[in-house]
Amino acid sequence: MSTELESTRRALREAIAQAEHAAELARLLDAAQAKLAAADQSAEEARMLAERLSAAEEQLEDERAAAEKLRKELAEQRYQAEVANWKLSSIKVARWNRLGDAIKSGKSNPVRLARGLKGAAKPVKRPIAPKRKPVAAGQKADRPGAAFQATTSTRVLEGASFKLKPFRVPTGPNTRPHLTAAVIADPHVEALLRYEWRQSTGFTPRDFARVLPLEVPHLLVVESVTQGPWAEELVGEPGEGLRALLAWCAERGIRTVFWHTRGDVADYAAAAELFEHRFTTDLTVGWPRLQFGVQPRVHNPMPLSGGRVDRVLTLEQLLPDHLSYPDVLTSYRWPAAVEVPPGTPQWRLAEIAACGTSIGAEPDPRRAHVAMRRAYLGGTMTERIDQLLDAVGLPSARATLNVSVLLPVTDPSLLEHALAQVARQSGVSQLVLFGPPAAEQRARDVLPDVDVVFRHLHAARSTGAMLGRGLDLCESDLVAVMDPRDVYGTHYLSDLRRAFLFSTADIVGKAAFYAHLRKPQATLLKQPDAEYSYLPEIIGATLLARRNTLRELGFADLTEGWDEVMMRQCRADGVKVFSADRFGYVRVRDEDRWLLGAAQLVEYGSAEPHALI
């Protein structure tokens, strides 16, 4: 009897445990379904907004076309009026008309008649016939990029036509809003420079004295242009317009820079001598170097709407001759990969790589990511302009991307591992560490060049509470949260920081990432399609944010789930959250039901060969 009773009790306990397990699974399923429904709703809202934006863009283009047509009609009417006035003036000064007037006025007065006939016989200069003038373009927008958008949305390959959604050139922000530069350059160089300062362009030798005083520049930068109204002023003997412009700058103490980027330097030598400073991209010229760099605002991995075409293109197929530079920026993002011939300019390779496009015979996301990183390490235009401003004696002050790291180490056995992850990173100026007493000195030994701020652990204080307290101690422009359990690659922070150069987000992190579960020895990949996009949330262990934004949001007083609360607050407050690439980070857990149900299996084995590149 007792044996049966014990068996019954055991069966009841197992049934209760199974019921609790089933209830937990049901709760997790409900939560997952709720998240999926919210994601579907967000996707539908994003789709509707995209459709509305597309319709608004089409309407704007129609209105621009109508305005352009009206401008042309008005210009033609003005021309016809000028022609009518010219014809009338020509008739009035014609000899036969003046003879007629003299006879009519002097028919009763012989003396007046004689004088009139004598005057009519003298030659009179006829008025000059009017000429059609080019139709003036519409009012140029003040913000950089607003009037600099792609126009060609169709590409043709081997007879097949492809409709692209053009890459929208951003309108800002400016790196140095306190500095104004007057720039004479072709569209490519203008695109490289337009985000580095407030930029005045479009003035000509005839109207610069009227245009530039509207916002007197600190600097004049003139490229070795080959087309446009300034080309003939620069080649050979300097034109009077160029001399007048440089004299105008000299009177006002405006620095003047000539930048040789193309053509034979001898053709521009005489004009270049008139400038205070001269730079060149040509290694054979003896002037100081100022090479092209990638411009993060336009050379970045932000994808086209609709993604990439599954093709490998040649450089000729990628960049047909007729494309304007904004259309080139669209083409960079279009193919799966590009094959380039030997001798392709280094700046072209860097621009393609910076847009996340594989260079080679087949697509390779890992190689493309490394090439993009290398393109940025080769120098951005922001760094090039720092060099230029230092050389000409203007301040190059701008915002930094230095990082303070928040690191709560609640398990002493993880201290060495956690400090090693921070020591790998570049750009860390401060570490705010919560840990056991021995952690302070150890952190100073491991990170001798980093300002270490140490605080003791308190058992009653949650992870969120520690992060909130640590945030008050942070001094850098950006703040990162790192989890002592996880693995962070050498380039983790530098890759994340890069996103602040081309996105408008206040919080950057990873929604796409690799994970490793120790018990099953499984490597998983979470949301591979979530790279380089604005999303509702990223995971807290990869959070990198602007310090002021975090102070406004705050950290929830929770040990688990503080990041979910913050992401909800971001959605409520309209704070932009950006998901960067999948590389450089591995989430490490013994087991994780959430990951098992939401990520794809990569292999059984280590995640580091996949993630850390």
Side-chain angles (χ1 to χ4, degrees):
M1 184 68 178
S2 61
T3 303
E4 293 179 358
L5 182 59
E6 182 62 29
S7 298
T8 302
R9 288 174 176 171
R10 188 181 302 110
L12 286 173
R13 285 196 296 269
E14 291 176 355
I16 291 172
Q18 291 178 357
E20 291 177 347
H21 181 65
E24 176 65 14
L25 289 177
R27 186 188 68 78
L28 292 173
L29 180 60
D30 290 341
Q33 289 175 339
K35 288 186 176 180
L36 182 60
D40 289 341
Q41 182 179 356
S42 299
E44 180 63 20
E45 292 175 354
R47 185 187 64 79
M48 293 176 64
L49 288 173
E51 290 178 354
R52 289 169 60 187
L53 176 60
S54 179
E57 289 174 350
E58 292 178 0
Q59 183 180 358
L60 180 59
E61 287 301 321
D62 292 341
E63 291 177 354
R64 285 176 177 169
E68 183 67 18
K69 183 179 178 182
L70 288 175
R71 278 197 297 272
K72 291 180 179 179
E73 291 176 352
L74 178 59
E76 180 62 23
Q77 290 174 4
R78 286 175 176 169
Y79 172 69
Q80 294 299 338
E82 290 175 356
V83 169
N85 289 330
W86 169 73
K87 289 180 178 179
L88 180 59
S89 300
S90 298
I91 291 172
K92 288 181 177 180
V93 299
R95 180 173 297 178
W96 61 266
N97 187 68
R98 288 184 285 122
L99 286 172
D101 289 342
I103 293 171
K104 182 179 179 180
S105 62
K107 62 182 179 180
S108 60
N109 188 330
V111 176
R112 183 183 297 173
L113 176 61
R115 289 176 180 173
L117 292 174
K118 184 178 180 181
K122 293 180 179 179
V124 176
K125 186 177 180 181
R126 296 177 64 87
I128 299 174
K131 295 181 180 179
R132 276 193 172 88
K133 299 176 182 178
V135 180
Q139 183 65 33
K140 192 170 183 178
D142 292 330
R143 295 180 301 169
F148 188 77
Q149 296 298 342
T151 57
T152 304
S153 58
T154 302
R155 302 290 187 275
V156 178
L157 283 179
E158 300 173 352
S161 180
F162 296 84
K163 184 77 171 178
L164 305 183
K165 186 72 173 179
F167 171 70
R168 289 198 60 79
V169 178
T171 57
N174 291 326
T175 302
R176 304 171 188 83
H178 62 279
L179 193 64
T180 300
V183 174
I184 298 171
D186 71 5
H188 176 210
V189 170
E190 188 180 337
L192 298 181
L193 298 177
R194 63 173 53 241
Y195 303 99
E196 299 304 325
W197 41 42
R198 295 175 60 85
Q199 186 156 293
S200 296
T201 59
F203 52 91
T204 69
R206 295 181 299 277
D207 65 9
F208 74 86
R210 176 177 56 84
V211 175
L212 293 184
L214 300 177
E215 186 175 4
V216 178
H218 303 89
L219 177 69
L220 170 70
V221 178
V222 178
E223 186 205 2
S224 52
V225 294
T226 57
Q227 296 180 344
W230 289 99
E232 60 185 21
E233 300 279 333
L234 292 167
V235 177
E237 183 64 24
E240 292 302 319
L242 177 64
R243 294 180 184 276
L245 173 62
L246 294 175
W248 185 89
C249 291
E251 291 173 359
R252 292 158 180 79
I254 298 169
R255 311 294 208 283
T256 58
V257 171
F258 180 77
W259 189 14
H260 172 245
T261 62
R262 65 178 69 196
D264 188 345
V265 70
D267 294 339
Y268 301 93
E273 286 298 321
L274 303 178
F275 289 78
E276 294 178 281
H277 304 274
R278 289 163 293 279
F279 298 90
T280 182
T281 60
D282 191 339
L283 299 178
T284 64
V285 179
W287 298 345
R289 301 285 180 272
L290 183 62
Q291 302 290 350
F292 289 152
V294 296
Q295 174 51 260
R297 298 295 290 153
V298 295
H299 304 137
N300 58 60
M302 297 294 284
L304 295 181
S305 178
R308 297 179 180 271
V309 64
D310 187 19
R311 292 200 181 194
V312 178
L313 306 182
T314 65
L315 193 60
E316 292 75 13
Q317 291 172 323
L318 180 75
L319 303 174
D321 291 337
H322 67 277
L323 294 183
S324 67
Y325 194 69
D327 295 311
V328 168
L329 297 175
T330 298
S331 287
Y332 281 163
R333 295 164 166 79
W334 178 38
V338 180
E339 289 189 272
V340 298
T344 301
Q346 188 61 40
W347 64 264
R348 178 75 77 186
L349 296 174
E351 290 185 0
I352 295 173
C355 291
T357 301
S358 292
I359 298 177
E362 59 183 29
D364 186 336
R366 291 166 56 83
R367 190 174 67 225
H369 184 77
V370 173
M372 177 179 64
R373 182 188 295 152
R374 190 180 300 117
Y376 274 85
L377 289 175
T380 65
M381 279 311 298
T382 298
E383 294 164 334
R384 300 284 193 259
I385 296 304
D386 283 345
Q387 299 169 11
L388 183 149
L389 295 176
D390 289 342
V392 304
L394 287 174
S396 57
R398 55 184 174 87
T400 69
L401 293 179
N402 290 336
V403 179
S404 293
V405 174
L406 293 175
L407 183 64
V409 183
T410 56
D411 184 348
S413 66
L414 295 175
L415 177 63
E416 290 296 327
H417 171 79
L419 293 178
Q421 307 310 303
V422 180
R424 291 179 175 181
Q425 310 304 318
S426 61
V428 176
S429 58
Q430 183 186 36
L431 171 65
V432 180
L433 173 66
F434 291 86
E440 180 177 10
Q441 186 56 49
R442 185 57 185 153
R444 299 187 191 281
D445 293 340
V446 175
L447 302 165
D449 299 325
V450 175
D451 178 22
V452 176
V453 178
F454 176 77
R455 292 294 183 270
H456 292 281
L457 290 171
H458 292 278
R461 187 173 292 157
S462 67
T463 299
M466 284 188 284
L467 294 174
R469 187 183 179 199
L471 179 61
D472 294 334
L473 304 172
C474 291
E475 298 178 351
S476 301
D477 295 331
L478 300 179
V479 175
V481 176
M482 296 178 68
D483 193 314
R485 297 171 290 182
D486 297 336
V487 176
Y488 298 85
T490 303
H491 303 283
Y492 164 75
L493 269 183
S494 59
D495 284 350
L496 272 191
R497 288 161 56 205
R498 188 182 307 123
F500 285 100
L501 299 177
F502 58 78
S503 76
T504 56
D506 292 309
I507 294 179
V508 172
K510 295 181 184 292
F513 58 89
Y514 287 93
H516 182 72
L517 304 182
R518 288 197 185 94
K519 285 189 176 180
Q521 284 295 299
T523 289
L524 308 171
L525 177 57
K526 170 75 171 169
Q527 297 189 111
D529 296 331
E531 293 181 295
Y532 302 119
S533 54
Y534 294 94
L535 292 177
E537 59 185 27
I538 47 91
I539 61 169
T542 65
L543 183 142
L544 178 65
R546 300 189 189 279
R547 181 183 59 184
N548 292 338
T549 299
L550 283 185
R551 284 180 171 171
E552 293 174 1
L553 292 170
F555 289 90
D557 189 4
L558 298 169
T559 294
E560 298 291 339
W562 62 264
D563 51 346
E564 295 181 7
V565 174
M566 179 176 287
M567 293 299 105
R568 284 199 297 270
Q569 189 64 42
C570 288
R571 294 193 290 274
D573 294 351
V575 176
K576 283 189 175 182
V577 178
F578 185 77
S579 173
D581 59 89
R582 72 183 74 175
F583 301 108
Y585 166 77
V586 180
R587 180 182 176 95
V588 180
R589 299 293 183 270
D590 288 333
E591 56 184 354
D592 192 318
R593 292 179 181 175
W594 170 70
L595 275 176
L596 283 174
Q600 65 186 48
L601 178 66
V602 176
E603 69 169 2
Y604 289 99
S606 174
E608 294 188 14
H610 299 278
L612 307 187
I613 59 174

